[in-house]
Structure formats: structure tokens, C-alpha cells
Amino acid sequence: MRIFTSDAHLGHRARMEFVPGQMVPAIETPDRIDAVLRGLDRHGFAAPIEADPAAHEDLRLVHSEAFLAFLKSAWTEWEAAFGPELDGYGFVWPTRNAFGRIPEAIEGKIGHFCFDGVSGLTPGMWMASVGAAGAALAAARSVLAGEGHAFAACRPPGHHASADLMGGTSYLNNAALAAAWMANQGARVATVDIDAHHGNGTQSVFWARGDVLTTSLHIDPAHDYPYFTGYADERGEGAGAGLNLNAPLAVGSEGDAFLSSLSEVLSDVRRFSPDYLIVPLGVDGFVGDPVGKMSLSTKDFARIGDALADLGLPTVFTMEGGYSTEALETCVPMVLHPFRG
């Protein structure tokens, strides 16, 4: 198994984020990838390979030109308007207005292109995001070239970002970029998102496409982030009708419940008969995670890895959530272990 990463993530460190009722220190920090790589090294995985940043033409496979232009210039505009001492956040998050206007003021632009209060602008956000996307694309190219399974130690994460919206500390959708690039080469691709939160961005990107099956196991959005998507009746439309599958789980779900739902999801994957598998890998379902609402153990993550490996598909993993150092160091290697080769 090849491991890809980008040191550009070290330049992105948000200071604060909004949660219900208060502003708190941001939990999506560079320490997360340090913990992942420590764990992989301890378990004997190969040393990570530094990936090149994603090219603009690859980003356009998923994201709109206007959105990419916003992300690229957002910090410069924020710093000019408000100075460098504060992370960039909006203060109005409207439902998309009927006129489709994009304000000129950066705080208005943030409201247009961002759907929450945890995804701040920082000086290194753009380069970190392009680096993470580059790691995911390098992993996809490696797998498509027949070089075995691959893991992209992406940061920032990506599965909450859609074609023209950032959120959930996701700016570019790494997993969707990997899947779209593979599909663009003629491959049939399935995604199995095992993060504790719905992969709303990935669902949105492939909602009407017939060449990518998107699936997600997560806490019931009636009770957890992102609240407005991830329900079982969301099935896709047009060419993608029936090719989106959500498996919402009850708050506090333990390993047996998760593995039972995963078994059903994997049956749908087998029926789709993909050439390749993309796994947005979050370990925020770990019982000790500060924001997850599941109760999965380290052994449960080992069982998840075994179930995914039983598909027998060339697989790309992209790092998503997980905010417990213990889980990042121990659970990520447990999932990846059956794919080491």
C-alpha cells in the first residue's frame, strides 16, 4: 500500500470555530495528520510520498470556476478587509437567493460559498487544500496504474465540500476528485464513506451521474451534522437515480450495528460491480472522539477494514474526520491493515 500526503497542510491552522452557543478553539489541526502518520509508521507501513499539488484542470472535474477563484483569493481579500489577526468567517449564511448574486465584500462571499461556521479562512488554506487534493489524485493514479491500494493522508478533509460550497472544514472534495478522475478514465467507481458524518459534498457531486455509486454510513442527520442531508430517502436523480445510498445510524451506535449496516451497503456495491473503490475514511465514530456520536472500538475498525477488503477491489482511501489522537494513531492502521499487501 502506497501512502501519499502533502506537507502544505502545515500552513493551515484555523484558530477558532463556531459551535452551538460559543466560539471554541478549532479541532481540525495539523496534529491530526502527525498522529495518523505516527500510527502508520508504528505498524510498519511504507513511508509517505509527497504528492504534487492538484492541477487546476483536475480540480475542474468537480468544482466550479467561480468557487475555485473564490478559494484562491479568499484569504488575500479577507486580510485586506479585516487584517491578518482573525481567521476569515462570514456572519450571514443565506439560503441561496433567487437572484444568484455573489457579493463583492469578502464577508458576503464567504456567506455565499460556505454553509457553516467551522470552516475558516487562513493564510495557508488554499495551498493546503490543493495539496490534499493532489495527494488524493496521486493515490487514484497509483491505483489505476495497478500499483496496489493507496491511502491519501489528506488534510484538510474534503467530503463535505460540493461543487461550489465549502463546509465541515472541507474546501475541496478529495474523495470526489479521486472518483471523478478515475471515472473520467472510463472506470466504474463506488464510494463507501465511513466517516461518522454524512458525506454531503460527495453525494451532491455525483447526484445525477450514472458512473459513480455513492454510499455513506453516518449518524442520523436528524440528530447530527450536517442535519439537512444524509437521509435514507435521498437516492439520486437522472442518470444517478438509485445510485446514492445513505445508511443513517442511531446516536451511540456500536460496532455490531455499524457492521450490520455496512454489510447491506456492501451488497449494493457488489450489485453495482465497480472497477474501483474509494473510501472516505473518518475515525470520528470512535468512542473517545470529541465530536462523534458513535461508540466504535479499535477492534470495530479492524472489522470494518476486513469487510471492505472482502470486496476484493483496488481501493483508494482519503482521510476525513477523526479528532481523537488515540483513534487516529490506532484506528486508521486497523482499517488499512488488510490492504497492505
Side-chain angles (χ1 to χ4, degrees):
M1 167 171 265
R2 306 183 83 191
I3 313 295
F4 295 91
T5 191
S6 169
D7 285 344
H9 84 91
L10 297 168
H12 172 56
R13 182 185 286 270
R15 285 167 279 201
M16 306 296 290
E17 63 183 46
F18 297 114
V19 299
Q22 59 183 323
M23 180 179 281
V24 300
I27 62 170
E28 203 293 289
T29 67
D31 300 341
R32 298 179 59 247
I33 295 302
D34 292 342
V36 169
L37 296 180
R38 275 198 310 272
L40 294 176
D41 180 65
R42 184 176 299 121
H43 284 81
F45 282 80
I49 301 166
E50 180 73 12
D52 292 331
H56 184 80
E57 58 266 27
D58 289 329
L59 299 179
R60 286 286 288 117
L61 291 172
V62 165
H63 297 289
S64 75
E65 197 69 61
F67 182 58
L68 294 173
F70 161 73
L71 289 178
K72 189 172 184 178
S73 67
W75 175 256
T76 300
E77 294 182 49
W78 175 267
E79 186 178 33
F82 296 99
E85 293 80 16
L86 301 173
D87 294 341
Y89 286 97
F91 70 106
V92 178
W93 292 277
T95 301
R96 292 295 175 88
N97 65 76
F99 302 106
R101 294 190 177 113
I102 303 176
E104 293 186 15
I106 183 59
E107 66 273 24
K109 286 183 182 178
I110 296 171
H112 181 81
F113 287 113
C114 181
F115 66 83
D116 67 12
V118 302
S119 309
L121 305 181
T122 74
M125 173 273 294
W126 170 246
M127 290 309 299
S129 298
V130 175
L137 288 162
R141 292 185 174 105
S142 174
V143 170
L144 198 68
E147 297 172 346
H149 311 295
F151 170 60
C154 299
R155 179 179 175 273
H159 73 151
H160 293 305
S162 65
D164 61 353
L165 270 176
M166 67 185 201
T169 70
S170 300
Y171 304 88
L172 297 172
N173 193 316
N174 308 310
L177 285 162
W181 184 85
M182 283 181 148
N184 203 44
Q185 312 307 306
R188 191 169 171 87
V189 183
T191 72
V192 179
D193 190 324
I194 59 171
D195 188 275
H197 303 98
H198 178 231
N200 57 300
T202 312
Q203 171 176 298
S204 173
V205 167
F206 298 111
W207 183 252
R209 288 181 57 159
D211 53 353
V212 178
L213 171 71
T214 50
T215 73
S216 179
L217 297 93
H218 47 266
I219 290 295
D220 187 342
H223 303 285
D224 200 11
Y225 186 97
Y227 301 107
F228 304 106
T229 64
Y231 296 85
D233 62 355
E234 298 163 17
R235 299 288 290 155
E237 66 181 13
L243 295 183
N244 186 78
L245 174 64
N246 291 317
L249 293 153
V251 172
S253 288
E254 298 180 349
D256 287 347
F258 190 98
L259 267 295
S260 177
S261 288
L262 180 60
S263 178
E264 295 179 14
V265 167
L266 296 185
S267 293
D268 281 88
V269 172
R270 289 184 175 93
R271 281 190 288 272
F272 182 70
S273 191
D275 303 310
Y276 299 95
L277 181 68
I278 307 286
V279 180
L281 168 56
V283 295
D284 41 2
F286 182 65
V287 66
D289 192 272
V291 300
K293 295 183 180 179
M294 290 186 190
S295 298
L296 304 183
S297 68
T298 302
K299 291 182 179 179
D300 292 328
F301 281 99
R303 295 164 66 196
I304 291 167
D306 288 339
L308 293 168
D310 281 346
L311 288 172
L313 292 170
T315 302
V316 174
F317 292 85
T318 61
M319 192 68 226
E320 301 295 345
Y323 308 95
S324 158
T325 300
E326 177 187 356
L328 290 164
E329 286 194 29
T330 61
C331 298
V332 172
M334 290 298 99
V335 175
L336 299 182
H337 179 76
F339 294 86
R340 290 179 64 175

